[in-house]
Amino acid sequence: MTDYKGIQGVSIQSVASDPTLDEGQVWYNNATYAIKLAAVTTAGTWASGGALPSARNGNPGGAGTQTAGLAFGGGGPAGGGAPIDTTSTYNGTSWSDVNSLNTARGYMVGCGTQTAALAAGGSGGGASTETWNGTNWTTNPASMNTARSALGASTAGTQTAALGFGGSSPVVASSESWNGSSWTNTPSLNTARRGLSGLGTQAAALALGGYPVVTTTESWNGSSWTTVNSMNTARGFGRGVGPQTAGLAFAGYGPTTPTYNGATELWNGTSWTSNPNSMGAARYGLGGLGNQSAALAYGGYSTTWVTTVEEFTGPGSPVTKTITTS
């Protein structure tokens, strides 16, 4: 009988912890007494992550990656979801509360990295803008042209190049771009809405869903918005992450009872595909960051405010499969 060494030319490696995954790799974990294989996912999957230090909804802002994330603002249980200023960092395992926003806010523009983020507008924030340097938030003298909350944002944008659109002021279609020092009005969305999600960059963004609960999707090319193929599940107050050509949408309010869902969809630059695996905890008003391959969902509201965190591993990504244990 041919053994692994005869096929690969090397013996199965014995290690105390699982290595960085490489498709087809086989190893023996001598701490858990298991032979394991790095396989590739055929569908995206959700798994539990480290819980938030405190419950929150109000679509808290998000910046960074699944292993180096930043969550800020939102709404807390105290005051029935009133805006909060809490800021927390995520290291891929657990959260740590750090210095707070200067202005408590939820439903805002939020983008950037764990060490260079942007927060603007939102419930409680009016039109004000703040920047994060990895330690502190600083209020920028430049405000948005239209004060609003429940707006969409380019969650893959940067601290110096962002886009905010839609929202409630009352419900508007207006769009604004940020260059690091000032906000400039840009052409409006085709459909005014609030509670929508956004993804992409300042020059290539996507606006999706919204409230009243819709499936509407619009694409931004840096100069105008174009209505494109709709989502499969209507939703408002959900989240979207990733670039314009490979987006991820998850959770949201509506459209059936109960009025919150965990439905997950993938965008390939042209159309949406429903992912067969939904979130473990259906909710809306949550925060999100990352991309289609590795996303993070945190907080939100289902029957109450939650600290629940879930990590998404996209299709085509290596995952650990246990072959046998001894």
Short mmCIF file of all heavy atoms in Angstrom, two decimals, residues 273-302:
data_model
loop_
_atom_site.label_atom_id
_atom_site.label_comp_id
_atom_site.label_asym_id
_atom_site.label_seq_id
_atom_site.Cartn_x
_atom_site.Cartn_y
_atom_site.Cartn_z
N THR A 273 -25.47 36.13 -5.48
CA THR A 273 -25.75 34.72 -5.30
C THR A 273 -25.97 34.46 -3.82
O THR A 273 -25.16 34.86 -2.98
CB THR A 273 -24.58 33.84 -5.80
OG1 THR A 273 -24.35 34.10 -7.18
CG2 THR A 273 -24.88 32.37 -5.59
N SER A 274 -27.06 33.78 -3.50
CA SER A 274 -27.33 33.45 -2.10
C SER A 274 -26.35 32.38 -1.62
O SER A 274 -26.19 31.35 -2.27
CB SER A 274 -28.76 32.95 -1.93
OG SER A 274 -29.69 33.97 -2.23
N ASN A 275 -25.68 32.66 -0.50
CA ASN A 275 -24.79 31.67 0.09
C ASN A 275 -25.64 30.65 0.85
O ASN A 275 -26.55 31.04 1.60
CB ASN A 275 -23.82 32.35 1.05
CG ASN A 275 -22.73 31.42 1.55
OD1 ASN A 275 -21.84 31.03 0.79
ND2 ASN A 275 -22.79 31.06 2.81
N PRO A 276 -25.41 29.35 0.68
CA PRO A 276 -26.27 28.35 1.34
C PRO A 276 -26.21 28.39 2.85
O PRO A 276 -27.14 27.93 3.52
CB PRO A 276 -25.75 27.02 0.79
CG PRO A 276 -24.37 27.30 0.31
CD PRO A 276 -24.37 28.71 -0.17
N ASN A 277 -25.14 28.93 3.42
CA ASN A 277 -25.01 28.98 4.88
C ASN A 277 -25.32 30.38 5.39
O ASN A 277 -24.64 31.34 5.06
CB ASN A 277 -23.59 28.60 5.29
CG ASN A 277 -23.22 27.20 4.85
OD1 ASN A 277 -24.00 26.27 5.02
ND2 ASN A 277 -22.04 27.03 4.27
N SER A 278 -26.38 30.47 6.20
CA SER A 278 -26.74 31.75 6.81
C SER A 278 -25.98 31.94 8.11
O SER A 278 -25.32 31.03 8.62
CB SER A 278 -28.25 31.79 7.08
OG SER A 278 -28.98 31.76 5.88
N MET A 279 -26.08 33.11 8.68
CA MET A 279 -25.45 33.40 9.96
C MET A 279 -26.07 32.53 11.05
O MET A 279 -27.24 32.13 10.95
CB MET A 279 -25.62 34.87 10.31
CG MET A 279 -25.02 35.82 9.30
SD MET A 279 -25.18 37.54 9.80
CE MET A 279 -24.00 37.60 11.16
N GLY A 280 -25.31 32.28 12.10
CA GLY A 280 -25.84 31.52 13.22
C GLY A 280 -26.87 32.30 14.00
O GLY A 280 -27.81 31.74 14.55
N ALA A 281 -26.72 33.63 14.04
CA ALA A 281 -27.64 34.50 14.78
C ALA A 281 -28.22 35.54 13.84
O ALA A 281 -27.52 36.47 13.43
CB ALA A 281 -26.92 35.16 15.94
N ALA A 282 -29.49 35.40 13.49
CA ALA A 282 -30.18 36.38 12.66
C ALA A 282 -30.31 37.69 13.43
O ALA A 282 -30.62 37.68 14.62
CB ALA A 282 -31.55 35.87 12.25
N ARG A 283 -30.07 38.84 12.76
CA ARG A 283 -30.10 40.12 13.46
C ARG A 283 -30.04 41.27 12.47
O ARG A 283 -29.76 41.08 11.30
CB ARG A 283 -28.94 40.23 14.45
CG ARG A 283 -27.60 39.84 13.85
CD ARG A 283 -26.57 39.55 14.91
NE ARG A 283 -25.61 38.56 14.53
CZ ARG A 283 -24.33 38.60 14.83
NH1 ARG A 283 -23.85 39.62 15.52
NH2 ARG A 283 -23.51 37.66 14.48
N TYR A 284 -30.26 42.47 12.96
CA TYR A 284 -30.08 43.68 12.17
C TYR A 284 -29.41 44.73 13.04
O TYR A 284 -29.23 44.56 14.24
CB TYR A 284 -31.41 44.18 11.59
CG TYR A 284 -32.41 44.68 12.60
CD1 TYR A 284 -32.47 46.02 12.95
CD2 TYR A 284 -33.32 43.81 13.20
CE1 TYR A 284 -33.40 46.49 13.87
CE2 TYR A 284 -34.25 44.25 14.12
CZ TYR A 284 -34.29 45.59 14.46
OH TYR A 284 -35.21 46.05 15.37
N GLY A 285 -28.99 45.84 12.41
CA GLY A 285 -28.34 46.90 13.16
C GLY A 285 -26.97 46.51 13.68
O GLY A 285 -26.46 47.08 14.63
N LEU A 286 -26.32 45.55 13.02
CA LEU A 286 -25.02 45.05 13.45
C LEU A 286 -23.89 45.81 12.78
O LEU A 286 -24.11 46.60 11.87
CB LEU A 286 -24.90 43.56 13.15
CG LEU A 286 -24.73 43.12 11.68
CD1 LEU A 286 -24.35 41.64 11.61
CD2 LEU A 286 -25.98 43.37 10.84
N GLY A 287 -22.67 45.54 13.22
CA GLY A 287 -21.49 46.08 12.57
C GLY A 287 -20.83 45.03 11.72
O GLY A 287 -21.06 43.82 11.89
N GLY A 288 -20.00 45.47 10.77
CA GLY A 288 -19.30 44.52 9.91
C GLY A 288 -18.03 45.12 9.36
O GLY A 288 -17.91 46.33 9.20
N LEU A 289 -17.06 44.25 9.08
CA LEU A 289 -15.80 44.68 8.48
C LEU A 289 -15.16 43.50 7.78
O LEU A 289 -15.62 42.37 7.89
CB LEU A 289 -14.87 45.27 9.55
CG LEU A 289 -14.50 44.40 10.75
CD1 LEU A 289 -13.31 43.49 10.48
CD2 LEU A 289 -14.20 45.29 11.96
N GLY A 290 -14.10 43.76 7.02
CA GLY A 290 -13.38 42.70 6.32
C GLY A 290 -13.74 42.64 4.85
O GLY A 290 -14.04 43.65 4.21
N ASN A 291 -13.76 41.42 4.30
CA ASN A 291 -14.05 41.23 2.88
C ASN A 291 -14.76 39.91 2.66
O ASN A 291 -15.11 39.22 3.61
CB ASN A 291 -12.75 41.30 2.06
CG ASN A 291 -11.69 40.34 2.56
OD1 ASN A 291 -11.96 39.16 2.81
ND2 ASN A 291 -10.46 40.82 2.71
N GLN A 292 -14.97 39.57 1.39
CA GLN A 292 -15.73 38.37 1.05
C GLN A 292 -15.05 37.09 1.51
O GLN A 292 -15.70 36.08 1.77
CB GLN A 292 -15.95 38.32 -0.47
CG GLN A 292 -16.94 37.30 -0.94
CD GLN A 292 -17.04 37.24 -2.45
OE1 GLN A 292 -16.25 36.59 -3.12
NE2 GLN A 292 -18.01 37.96 -3.02
N SER A 293 -13.74 37.10 1.62
CA SER A 293 -13.00 35.91 2.05
C SER A 293 -12.93 35.77 3.57
O SER A 293 -12.93 34.66 4.09
CB SER A 293 -11.57 35.94 1.49
OG SER A 293 -11.58 35.92 0.08
N ALA A 294 -12.87 36.91 4.26
CA ALA A 294 -12.71 36.89 5.71
C ALA A 294 -13.39 38.11 6.31
O ALA A 294 -12.81 39.20 6.35
CB ALA A 294 -11.23 36.87 6.09
N ALA A 295 -14.64 37.94 6.74
CA ALA A 295 -15.42 39.05 7.28
C ALA A 295 -15.71 38.83 8.75
O ALA A 295 -15.59 37.73 9.28
CB ALA A 295 -16.72 39.20 6.50
N LEU A 296 -16.11 39.93 9.40
CA LEU A 296 -16.47 39.89 10.81
C LEU A 296 -17.81 40.61 10.99
O LEU A 296 -18.00 41.71 10.47
CB LEU A 296 -15.39 40.60 11.64
CG LEU A 296 -15.39 40.35 13.15
CD1 LEU A 296 -15.00 38.91 13.45
CD2 LEU A 296 -14.41 41.31 13.85
N ALA A 297 -18.74 39.95 11.70
CA ALA A 297 -20.03 40.54 12.03
C ALA A 297 -20.14 40.62 13.54
O ALA A 297 -19.84 39.64 14.24
CB ALA A 297 -21.16 39.68 11.47
N TYR A 298 -20.57 41.76 14.08
CA TYR A 298 -20.58 41.94 15.53
C TYR A 298 -21.77 42.77 15.99
O TYR A 298 -22.21 43.70 15.33
CB TYR A 298 -19.28 42.59 16.01
CG TYR A 298 -18.82 43.78 15.19
CD1 TYR A 298 -19.19 45.06 15.53
CD2 TYR A 298 -18.02 43.59 14.06
CE1 TYR A 298 -18.78 46.15 14.77
CE2 TYR A 298 -17.60 44.66 13.30
CZ TYR A 298 -17.99 45.94 13.66
OH TYR A 298 -17.58 47.00 12.89
N GLY A 299 -22.29 42.38 17.16
CA GLY A 299 -23.39 43.11 17.75
C GLY A 299 -24.68 42.98 16.96
O GLY A 299 -24.89 42.03 16.21
N GLY A 300 -25.56 43.96 17.15
CA GLY A 300 -26.84 43.97 16.46
C GLY A 300 -28.00 43.72 17.42
O GLY A 300 -27.84 43.70 18.65
N TYR A 301 -29.17 43.54 16.83
CA TYR A 301 -30.39 43.36 17.62
C TYR A 301 -31.22 42.24 17.00
O TYR A 301 -31.42 42.19 15.78
CB TYR A 301 -31.20 44.66 17.65
CG TYR A 301 -32.41 44.60 18.55
CD1 TYR A 301 -32.32 45.01 19.88
CD2 TYR A 301 -33.63 44.14 18.08
CE1 TYR A 301 -33.43 44.97 20.73
CE2 TYR A 301 -34.76 44.09 18.92
CZ TYR A 301 -34.65 44.49 20.24
OH TYR A 301 -35.73 44.44 21.05
N SER A 302 -31.70 41.32 17.84
CA SER A 302 -32.66 40.32 17.39
C SER A 302 -33.88 40.46 18.29
O SER A 302 -34.79 41.22 17.99
CB SER A 302 -32.05 38.92 17.44
OG SER A 302 -31.49 38.64 18.71
#
